[in-house]
């Protein structure tokens, strides 16, 4: 018994060697929750923005009578499962959706899963009993499974039970054992979630691409119209409108890359996973990546507010 206890103690102490990655988990959790909220806000605002763009195209074109605005597919009938309106610039064009509730389906759910995961991960790092570790792991497993079912269908990990004490006879090792239990739980939880976060980042990147493409298209079209108006009639008012259109387009083209927050989220979680697994010894890069995630989340919040303002 004495030999087994000594061996376990050595293993526990080895697992606790080096810097404690749990020290950065609170800031990672806060930044991830902020990023999740920003993603939801941006998706909602960008959806309204794209809806406004579609409506403007239909109403502003002098040939709007030629626009076909009608239900997409076989929607809006008694046998339909949905009712969504679309529009066409011309009869040969594939109909485009006119109204958007979200740019990418289930964006809000995935963002909520990431936030729930971050909260539970922080609770796990702060857990002071086996019961609290188990409760936090249960919440983590639920969030991982939910997000994985969306971004990686068929790969959701099975809920794993928290490891239990090897023997009641080692009660004197309980404090160190708890540290080891948490370290193992954190290591396994982040390892399970890491590929899901990477896939989610790619998934969210589609939102940025859709929104940026539509907004740039509108700005370019407005610039082209203003340019033509000035060339046809070089008046002061047309020159000012031309200059304003150029300024607006310049702002769109130089806007911060929306996709940065998704890349930062993936990078921060990957470094956290490596730190918990002992593959990196310095936390300087991890802390810098988490700080970058926090900054990018604030940028995304600001872009969401700009999109909201553009539709009011």
């Amino acid at each position: 018994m004495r030999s087994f206890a000594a061996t376990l103690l050595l293993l526990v102490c080895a697992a606790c060697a080096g810097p404690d990655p749990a020290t950065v988990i609170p800031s990672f959790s806060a930044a991830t929750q902020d990023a999740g909220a920003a993603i939801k806000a941006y998706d909602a605002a960008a959806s309204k923005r794209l809806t406004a763009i579609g409506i403007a195209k239909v109403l502003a074109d002098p040939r709007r009578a030629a626009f076909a605005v009608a239900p997409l597919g076989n929607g809006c009938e008694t046998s339909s499962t949905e009712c969504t309106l679309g529009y066409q610039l011309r009869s040969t064009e594939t109909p485009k959706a006119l109204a958007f509730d979200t740019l990418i389906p289930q964006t809000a759910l995935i963002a909520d899963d990431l936030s729930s995961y971050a909260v539970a991960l922080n609770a796990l790092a702060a857990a002071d009993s086996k019961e609290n570790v188990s409760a936090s792991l249960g919440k983590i497993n639920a969030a991982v499974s939910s997000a994985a079912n969306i971004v990686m269908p068929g790969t959701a990990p099975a809920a794993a039970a928290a490891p239990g004490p090897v023997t009641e006879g080692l009660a004197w090792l309980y404090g160190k054992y708890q540290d080891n239990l948490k370290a193992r739980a954190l290591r396994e939880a982040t390892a399970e979630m890491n590929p899901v976060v990477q896939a989610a980042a790619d998934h969210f990147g589609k939102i940025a691409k859709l929104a940026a493409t539509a907004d740039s298209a509108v700005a370019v079209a407005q610039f082209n119209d203003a340019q033509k108006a000035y060339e046809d009639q070089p008046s002061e008012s047309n020159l000012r409108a031309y200059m304003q259109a150029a300024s607006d387009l310049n702002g769109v083209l130089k806007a911060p890359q929306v996709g940065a927050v998704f890349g930062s989220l993936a990078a921060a979680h990957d470094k956290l996973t490596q730190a918990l697994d002992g593959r990196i010894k310095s936390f300087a890069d991890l802390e810098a990546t988490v700080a970058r995630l926090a900054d990018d989340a604030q940028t995304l919040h600001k872009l969401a507010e700009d999109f909201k303002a553009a539709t009011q």
Side-chain angles (χ1 to χ4, degrees):
M1 179 67 180
R2 186 175 302 170
S3 176
F4 176 75
T7 300
L8 179 61
L9 180 59
L10 287 173
L11 290 173
V12 169
C13 291
C16 297
D20 180 9
T23 57
V24 79
I25 287 179
S27 56
F28 169 81
S29 176
T32 300
Q33 292 176 66
D34 199 27
I39 289 166
K40 290 174 64 177
Y42 182 81
D43 182 54
S47 297
K48 289 183 179 179
R49 171 68 169 156
L50 262 64
T51 298
I53 288 173
I55 292 173
K57 284 184 177 181
V58 171
L59 298 180
D61 195 287
R63 301 166 299 128
R64 60 179 176 271
F67 278 81
V69 178
L72 289 177
N74 297 317
C76 305
E77 299 177 358
T78 55
S79 59
S80 303
T81 58
E82 62 180 9
C83 182
T84 304
L85 291 181
Y87 70 96
Q88 296 171 274
L89 291 173
R90 52 192 64 85
S91 60
T92 57
E93 185 180 63
T94 301
K96 301 176 181 178
L98 181 58
F100 296 86
D101 293 323
T102 178
L103 298 188
I104 303 294
Q106 298 180 299
T107 289
L109 180 57
I110 303 172
D112 285 341
D113 286 337
L114 288 174
S115 294
S116 297
Y117 165 77
V119 170
L121 196 69
N122 192 42
L124 175 58
D128 57 4
S129 70
K130 175 177 174 291
E131 290 72 25
N132 288 342
V133 169
S134 296
S136 297
L137 274 178
K139 294 176 181 178
I140 286 173
N141 287 333
V144 173
S145 295
S146 178
N149 278 328
I150 298 172
V151 299
M152 300 168 61
T155 65
V166 285
T167 172
E168 295 301 326
L170 296 179
W172 62 279
L173 266 178
Y174 185 73
K176 286 295 183 182
Y177 176 78
Q178 284 301 116
D179 289 342
N180 192 41
L181 178 71
K182 284 201 298 184
R184 174 182 167 187
L186 287 166
R187 191 162 54 245
E188 293 180 353
T190 52
E192 289 283 7
M193 187 59 159
N194 201 41
V196 179
V197 172
Q198 308 308 311
D202 290 339
H203 180 92
F204 290 139
K206 297 175 185 177
I207 299 171
K209 185 175 182 179
L210 283 172
T213 299
D215 216 36
S216 297
V218 171
V220 169
Q222 291 174 340
F223 172 81
N224 289 339
D225 289 344
Q227 182 181 45
K228 186 176 187 306
Y230 176 72
E231 290 173 349
D232 290 346
Q233 187 178 349
S235 64
E236 180 182 351
S237 60
N238 282 344
L239 175 58
R240 291 187 181 279
Y242 187 17
M243 293 171 65
Q244 182 60 53
S247 177
D248 292 343
L249 177 56
N250 186 59
V252 170
L253 295 177
K254 291 185 175 296
Q257 290 296 315
V258 174
V261 70
F262 313 125
S264 294
L265 177 61
H269 191 273
D270 187 57
K271 286 187 180 297
L272 178 61
T273 303
Q274 292 184 54
L276 288 165
D277 197 35
R279 285 178 283 156
I280 58 175
K281 301 302 180 184
S282 169
F283 291 158
D285 285 347
L286 172 57
E287 291 170 347
T289 305
V290 170
R292 191 176 308 116
L293 171 60
D295 289 343
D296 288 341
Q298 291 303 313
T299 297
L300 192 58
H301 273 299
K302 174 63 168 59
L303 290 172
E305 289 301 316
D306 289 345
F307 266 0
K308 285 174 65 177
T311 58
Q312 293 174 348

